[in-house]
Amino acid sequence: MAALNLNLLIVTLIYIHHVSLAFAKVTLNSPLFTDTDDAWLSPSGEFAFGFRQLNDNDTKLFMVAIWYNMIPDDQTVVWSARKDNKLATAPAGSKLQITQEGLSLTNPKGDFIWTASSKDFVSEGAMLDSGNFVLLNGSSANVWQSFEHPTDTLLPNQSLQLGGMLTSRLTDTNYTTGRFQLYFDGGNLLLSPLAWPSQLRYKSYPVIDASGNASRLLFNISGDIYVETTNGNRIQPQGQKWVSNSSSSLDLNPEMNFYRATLDPSGVFTQYAHPRNNTARQGWIIMRYVPDDICNIIFDRFGSGSCGYNSYCDMENERPTCNCLDGYSLVDPSNQFGGCQPNFTLACGADVQAPPEQLYHMLQSSRYNFPEADYEKIQPYTQQECLQSCLHNCMCAVAIFGLDTCWMKRLPLSNGRVTDVNDHHFVYIKIRNSRDFYPGVNEELPPGADSNKEDGAKPILMGSLIGSLVVNGILLATVALLVLLKPKLKVVVPVAAASLLETNLHSFSYEALKEATWGFSEELGRGSCGIVYKGKLEAEDSCNVIAVKRLDRLAQEREKEFRTELSAIGKTSHKNLVRLIGFCDQGINRLLVYEFMSNGTLADILFGHSKPNWNTRVGFALGIARGLVYLHEECDTPIIHCDIKPQNILIDEHFNTKISDFGLAKLLLSDQSRTNTMIRGTRGYVAPEWFKNVAVTVKVDVYSFGIMLLEIICCRRSVVMEEPGEEEKAVLADWACDCYMEGRIDALVENDEEALSDKERLRKWIKIAIWCIHENPEMRPTIGMVVQMLEGFVQVSNPPPTFTMHSVS
Ligand SMILES: *[C@@H]1O[C@H](CO)[C@@H](O)[C@H](O)[C@H]1NC(C)=O
Ligand SMILES: *[C@@H]1O[C@H](CO)[C@@H](O)[C@H](O)[C@H]1NC(C)=O
Ligand SMILES: *[C@@H]1O[C@H](CO)[C@@H](O)[C@H](O)[C@H]1NC(C)=O
Ligand SMILES: *[C@@H]1O[C@H](CO)[C@@H](O)[C@H](O)[C@H]1NC(C)=O
Ligand SMILES: *[C@@H]1O[C@H](CO)[C@@H](O)[C@H](O)[C@H]1NC(C)=O
Ligand SMILES: *[C@@H]1O[C@H](CO)[C@@H](O)[C@H](O)[C@H]1NC(C)=O
Ligand SMILES: *[C@@H]1O[C@H](CO)[C@@H](O)[C@H](O)[C@H]1NC(C)=O
Ligand SMILES: *[C@@H]1O[C@H](CO)[C@@H](O)[C@H](O)[C@H]1NC(C)=O
Ligand SMILES: *[C@@H]1O[C@H](CO)[C@@H](O)[C@H](O)[C@H]1NC(C)=O
Ligand SMILES: CC(=O)N[C@H]1CO[C@H](CO)[C@@H](O)[C@@H]1O
């Protein structure tokens, strides 16, 4: 809200200092332009008519408006030009002028944006002290007046005729037409939410029930507001918050106060007062309003209700406010009525096959309800059963439990409102766990969580939103990194090809990277292409840890390709790929700057002291496969990794797998003989076609993935020196094929209870791995197919028995 007020202030401040011309009457052909700050003022100077810049510096758009011109700091707009009930916006350079035909707004090219036309010839215009802008004919009769085309506000001495209506604006500072309308229908004054863009009116609420006899709504000159009926009666709005003059202390005095009545962005029709003597600077005061409680009045099967979707309405300080559910945030942060969205994905089919307990928790709340969002009502049911059902149902976003009944609710949630707090109303919101996907790895569960899985107890976290904050923090950090990198670091002027500029890669100077890595002092590891160092990029108010890879010298003819290759890598962006932040290409130095992954490589984890549990490994395999699908099938040009192995898979702090070093193998391996490559230690992962005279395709990665999938399943390296007598196990691929053919896959995961209890998947995944390591590349599935099989969407046929002959030499 502070931001909104500030914006309002900025806009109004601009205007207050510049309005200069004062005309009571406006003659023909004396135009106003957007680029001057002139306006047409009323004789007293109280009201002004002219251009107002929309609160948006980028696009420089303007509207035509009437505003209070004498209230310092608050030049409240009371009218704006609308066409088909939509705000007429004018680009810079537009012109507003009165001609014989009427009032016209034209863009710099002379096209009409908006007109107020009259059948009579117009001879002049006038901004009146009442706030009415009028066009007059030769005998000074009104032929057009702004009072007859109200937008969202009525002023004293203005009336709303039977065909008229008020339509709210979107927010206090955004004059685009909003969601509510006040209008006459069947002789009564009604309020309805609107369905954009057709402006269909949803279910209406009577603001003034005149038994069908209303003839107009009058804001009389003394400041009172009522409907006049056909037979001369006056009927006040009905509601406890609409105090009428006679019955109470309401003190109407137009000599002392300005008045206005506005259909607010929230849908509340409110009468405001502002003292004319503004020494107190207290702003507009709410005098009275109708309906009393819009939060509960607006209710329909269609539309979002009084607030936007996924938010609930509450009356606070005489105003409705819209609040997002915990874990949700505003779709448009500047519009509290615009609805909320979850901070996480919540959808069927969007998840890996992990138990929902590991992905979500149910946050308990109590105060509100969404009466129209139910899709299931289960009765009788217990509270525990209710929240379990919601947790396990991918469609369920919120569960409400009362007495013995469970209501399951789906998105988008509508008609959100606060309910009376009682002991029999429980709200459970499904929220994504912070440690994306596999908290089981990390035994520390947040406080209040019940970690005992055996008896079916559930991780219900009370009030803990740390999760999404952490995830978002990381997102923000990434953005901040990109934004902050620029100013402080010595960025070498890129002499790069246009293709590199399309990426977000930063070109670093060698000196900058040397400094960032403390002179290449902290070695993180040695890969096939070079040595990796830890480093830190310091920006104004943050610092970011990076990994800098210093590449071995490239062969002469490869130098050219370096940038081409980089531009392909630089454009990649996937959650299972390590992000390349920038590079250095200076003299003989070739360095790559990556985001730093805190938790080492898959090899460290897989072959380390304690085995990661089965579900974690399942997640690892799926993540890697998805990253490969992206490289092979979703990039502009397919990227073959050529060196898939656990040492090249990094793990971030949320236990997501990230493929690293992609795209480089091609660059770096080609000047070495293939024999060398094999000797370099990736033996066991290399597809047989490397040794033959056939083209190397994306299928080499599928082969390596197959080997790695076996390693992930079995938690052991692809080739090990076995004890005498155990030689059959030395080469994992052969051993796995043997075990599969002989029907003893249990041996592959000996003692891994979790894997053994997921036997179906175990068998299927071993079959997939065997298909992946088929001798003939054409027989191997594509990685996209592999993902579908891993996820269980596609049947896996039995691999042919020839596989038993498979061998890595
Ligand atoms: C007003 O809101 C509309 C709809 O959200 C948006 O397109 C427009 O840019 C906003 N205008 C300003 C000035 O913020
Ligand atoms: C908009 O532009 C004005 C004048 O150039 C400037 O003073 C103001 O700070 C800008 N506002 C925003 C929000 O950028
Ligand atoms: C101006 O309008 C009034 C009312 O419509 C009409 O009586 C009068 O003749 C018009 N005068 C001129 C000069 O058109
Ligand atoms: C009020 O409106 C009437 C016509 O609707 C007009 O004749 C009168 O001059 C107005 N009074 C003031 C003070 O503006
Ligand atoms: C509305 O008009 C009808 C018929 O003209 C009359 O019977 C009824 O009393 C009127 N109601 C009000 C509230 O004036
Ligand atoms: C305005 O309405 C109030 C209350 O209905 C009434 O007392 C007052 O006389 C009206 N003023 C005029 C100018 O009609
Ligand atoms: C409305 O209130 C004002 C000031 O309290 C008083 O002068 C006026 O007579 C009242 N009108 C009615 C209709 O009660
Ligand atoms: C405005 O109010 C202040 C104090 O309330 C008073 O001193 C001042 O004279 C008033 N000004 C006018 C123009 O009434
Ligand atoms: C996510 O949700 C939390 C809690 O509702 C909120 O505070 C935070 O701003 C949201 N973050 C984003 C990036 O939407
Ligand atoms: C450096 C680092 O963040 N290591 C973490 C890796 O993951 C384990 C388990 O979640 C953490 O305990 C380590 O702190």
Side-chain angles (χ1 to χ4, degrees):
M1 292 309 279
L4 291 184
N5 291 337
L6 192 63
N7 286 339
L8 192 64
L9 206 64
I10 289 167
V11 170
T12 53
L13 284 178
I14 295 169
Y15 280 87
I16 199 150
H17 297 300
H18 296 284
V19 172
S20 51
L21 299 181
F23 291 121
K25 300 265 173 168
V26 185
T27 53
L28 295 192
N29 303 317
S30 50
L32 291 179
F33 291 96
T34 56
D35 29 15
T36 66
D37 287 304
D38 300 341
W40 296 328
L41 303 188
S42 68
S44 67
E46 270 168 27
F47 287 96
F49 183 96
F51 284 112
R52 287 278 296 249
Q53 189 180 333
L54 295 175
N55 190 10
D56 183 348
N57 272 1
D58 298 341
T59 49
K60 280 247 178 218
L61 286 175
F62 297 81
M63 64 176 175
V64 173
I66 298 172
W67 63 91
Y68 278 101
N69 195 46
M70 300 267 270
I71 306 177
D73 301 349
D74 193 355
Q75 301 197 318
T76 313
V77 170
V78 296
W79 180 87
S80 54
R82 285 178 180 173
K83 188 180 176 183
D84 302 326
N85 205 25
K86 286 175 198 139
L87 183 68
T89 54
S94 296
K95 180 170 83 169
L96 181 67
Q97 71 173 344
I98 299 171
T99 64
Q100 285 199 328
E101 285 75 42
L103 189 57
S104 67
L105 171 63
T106 50
N107 71 13
K109 283 188 269 172
D111 307 326
F112 289 100
I113 296 171
W114 172 83
T115 53
S117 50
S118 141
K119 286 186 204 102
D120 249 350
F121 281 126
V122 174
S123 62
E124 60 184 353
M127 181 72 247
L128 306 181
D129 278 335
S130 58
N132 194 6
F133 187 84
V134 296
L135 296 177
L136 306 169
N137 72 2
S139 41
S140 294
N142 279 352
V143 291
W144 184 91
Q145 48 184 324
S146 62
F147 268 18
E148 284 180 0
H149 303 89
T151 50
D152 61 352
T153 298
L154 294 178
L155 294 172
N157 209 28
Q158 185 176 5
S159 60
L160 188 66
Q161 306 297 329
L162 279 189
M165 63 197 179
L166 300 181
T167 311
S168 64
R169 57 188 187 231
L170 194 65
T171 67
D172 286 339
T173 53
N174 187 331
Y175 293 87
T176 304
T177 17
R179 291 185 44 230
F180 293 93
Q181 200 161 70
L182 189 72
Y183 60 99
F184 284 104
D185 193 27
N188 298 309
L189 186 66
L190 306 176
L191 172 69
S192 286
L194 293 182
W196 283 97
S198 72
Q199 308 190 38
L200 171 83
R201 288 168 182 154
Y202 286 140
K203 200 147 86 187
S204 61
Y205 165 79
V207 171
I208 298 183
D209 180 358
S211 309
N213 298 349
S215 72
R216 63 173 180 161
L217 176 70
L218 182 64
F219 197 162
N220 84 7
I221 201 147
S222 348
D224 206 6
I225 297 173
Y226 45 82
V227 155
E228 278 183 350
T229 62
T230 43
N231 37 18
N233 291 331
R234 296 172 173 183
I235 305 175
Q236 294 269 346
Q238 288 115 22
Q240 291 176 3
K241 298 294 185 176
W242 195 275
V243 186
S244 62
N245 191 29
S246 49
S247 64
S248 84
S249 58
L250 194 71
D251 186 6
L252 291 170
N253 188 344
E255 314 261 276
M256 297 292 288
N257 295 303
F258 295 118
Y259 294 116
R260 67 180 168 99
T262 301
L263 182 63
D264 286 332
S266 62
V268 180
F269 184 59
T270 308
Q271 185 176 0
Y272 294 90
H274 192 290
R276 283 173 185 267
N277 177 353
N278 196 55
T279 41
R281 299 213 163 185
Q282 65 195 62
W284 289 94
I285 304 153
I286 296 168
M287 294 174 66
R288 46 187 177 174
Y289 56 90
V290 66
D292 295 346
D293 178 6
I294 193 157
C295 294
N296 282 298
I297 294 274
I298 302 293
F299 183 81
D300 195 353
R301 200 157 77 76
F302 300 106
S304 61
S306 47
C307 284
Y309 290 108
N310 304 327
S311 59
Y312 61 92
C313 183
D314 190 8
M315 290 300 285
E316 282 170 15
N317 302 324
E318 310 275 291
R319 296 282 86 181
T321 54
C322 298
N323 307 285
C324 290
L325 288 188
D326 295 316
Y328 289 57
S329 51
L330 286 174
V331 175
D332 171 1
S334 67
N335 181 7
Q336 69 148 317
F337 303 102
C340 306
Q341 58 197 357
N343 270 347
F344 47 88
T345 46
L346 184 65
C348 294
D351 279 322
V352 293
Q353 293 175 331
E357 286 88 349
Q358 294 188 9
L359 298 175
Y360 300 100
H361 60 273
M362 302 294 289
L363 183 77
Q364 192 183 343
S365 188
S366 63
R367 291 189 58 221
Y368 40 82
N369 199 359
F370 297 91
E372 277 286 351
D374 304 318
Y375 69 96
E376 292 279 14
K377 176 181 174 180
I378 312 174
Q379 189 188 34
Y381 222 40
T382 68
Q383 199 169 334
Q384 276 304 317
E385 287 170 326
C386 183
L387 67 91
Q388 280 298 302
S389 292
C390 184
L391 186 66
H392 286 265
N393 187 318
C394 64
M395 276 166 262
C396 186
V398 166
I400 298 215
F401 182 81
L403 292 174
D404 64 344
T405 310
C406 177
W407 288 272
M408 302 223 281
K409 294 175 188 289
R410 64 179 158 226
L411 298 182
L413 302 159
S414 58
N415 295 296
R417 73 231 10 241
V418 166
T419 55
D420 288 338
V421 177
N422 67 40
D423 296 342
H424 306 299
H425 182 80
F426 298 92
V427 181
Y428 298 99
I429 310 163
K430 191 193 274 184
I431 296 186
R432 185 109 189 174
N433 283 337
S434 52
R435 284 166 218 284
D436 218 358
F437 298 164
Y438 300 102
V441 182
N442 197 333
E443 291 308 334
E444 45 154 319
L445 283 166
D450 191 340
S451 56
N452 186 352
K453 291 216 187 84
E454 261 63 48
D455 64 12
K458 317 73 203 164
I460 300 162
L461 310 189
M462 307 293 179
S464 162
L465 283 174
I466 295 162
S468 46
L469 291 178
V470 169
V471 172
N472 290 316
I474 293 158
L475 277 175
L476 285 178
T478 312
V479 172
L481 174 69
L482 293 176
V483 172
L484 293 172
L485 270 175
K486 249 184 184 155
K488 183 81 187 280
L489 290 163
K490 298 148 212 154
V491 175
V492 172
V493 179
V495 270
S499 61
L500 255 188
L501 293 176
E502 285 165 27
T503 69
N504 281 326
L505 292 185
H506 287 257
S507 171
F508 293 96
S509 73
Y510 181 74
E511 286 306 314
L513 291 182
K514 192 172 172 188
E515 197 180 308
T517 55
W518 310 284
F520 302 106
S521 55
E522 201 172 320
E523 193 177 311
L524 287 171
R526 280 166 192 261
S528 47
C529 329
I531 302 175
V532 186
Y533 300 94
K534 192 170 177 174
K536 238 181 208 174
L537 287 179
E538 314 253 351
E540 304 261 305
D541 49 1
S542 71
C543 72
N544 301 280
V545 187
I546 49 171
V548 177
K549 175 167 249 177
R550 209 171 157 177
L551 298 177
D552 299 340
R553 264 202 88 166
L554 299 179
Q556 206 77 65
E557 75 272 17
R558 291 282 140 187
E559 303 253 321
K560 279 194 273 12
E561 284 177 38
F562 179 71
R563 278 168 175 268
T564 324
E565 204 61 31
L566 267 192
S567 76
I569 301 168
K571 280 184 217 154
T572 59
S573 160
H574 188 274
K575 103 191 236 293
N576 295 110
L577 301 183
V578 173
R579 246 184 71 80
L580 184 63
I581 295 168
F583 63 93
C584 164
D585 181 16
Q586 211 179 359
I588 57 160
N589 297 303
R590 304 279 177 280
L591 293 94
L592 299 173
V593 181
Y594 291 102
E595 56 180 341
F596 176 74
M597 292 295 128
S598 54
N599 246 330
T601 70
L602 178 61
D604 300 339
I605 291 183
L606 220 46
F607 313 134
H609 296 305
S610 56
K611 288 184 183 180
N613 71 26
W614 175 243
N615 279 329
T616 307
R617 274 143 56 208
V618 166
F620 285 165
L622 281 167
I624 298 163
R626 291 201 183 106
L628 277 175
V629 169
Y630 178 85
L631 287 178
H632 286 184
E633 297 173 10
E634 288 160 18
C635 291
D636 292 347
T637 44
I639 297 177
I640 309 179
H641 189 294
C642 295
D643 203 10
I644 288 288
K645 56 181 176 179
Q647 289 77 5
N648 277 341
I649 309 296
L650 303 183
I651 311 291
D652 74 4
E653 64 267 53
H654 302 288
F655 268 71
N656 291 314
T657 45
K658 306 246 182 188
I659 301 174
S660 75
D661 270 6
F662 45 91
L664 290 175
K666 188 161 135 218
L667 205 62
L668 293 155
L669 295 182
S670 47
D671 65 320
Q672 270 121 24
S673 76
R674 285 176 173 178
T675 330
N676 270 342
T677 315
M678 185 184 64
I679 291 167
R680 287 182 86 161
T682 34
R683 186 185 126 106
Y685 300 95
V686 179
E689 57 266 36
W690 280 108
F691 307 102
K692 298 176 188 163
N693 206 5
V694 294
V696 168
T697 67
V698 287
K699 292 291 180 68
V700 299
D701 286 348
V702 174
Y703 182 94
S704 309
F705 177 80
I707 298 287
M708 196 166 65
L709 182 57
L710 289 175
E711 293 182 310
I712 291 171
I713 292 170
C714 307
C715 267
R716 56 152 278 189
R717 292 178 195 274
S718 64
V719 182
V720 286
M721 298 310 279
E722 280 293 345
E723 305 287 307
E726 301 250 275
E727 289 90 351
E728 55 149 8
K729 295 185 181 177
V731 176
L732 178 58
D734 293 348
W735 183 46
C737 289
D738 293 345
C739 288
Y740 171 74
M741 295 312 293
E742 290 158 21
R744 46 184 187 96
I745 57 170
D746 292 11
L748 290 169
V749 292
E750 51 186 19
N751 304 330
D752 188 339
E753 293 303 328
E754 269 184 300
L756 288 171
S757 67
D758 195 6
K759 198 83 159 266
E760 179 119 1
R761 192 203 308 265
L762 178 63
R763 179 184 309 280
K764 191 163 68 186
W765 282 30
I766 288 171
K767 285 201 284 186
I768 297 169
I770 294 177
W771 274 112
C772 287
I773 57 176
H774 199 293
E775 284 266 345
N776 179 354
E778 282 170 19
M779 293 296 288
R780 291 174 212 151
T782 63
I783 193 71
M785 181 58 75
V786 169
V787 167
Q788 299 224 325
M789 294 193 294
L790 291 174
E791 284 176 336
F793 294 128
V794 170
Q795 288 278 316
V796 188
S797 52
N798 291 334
T802 53
F803 279 117
T804 51
M805 303 309 291
H806 178 99
S807 163
V808 173
S809 38

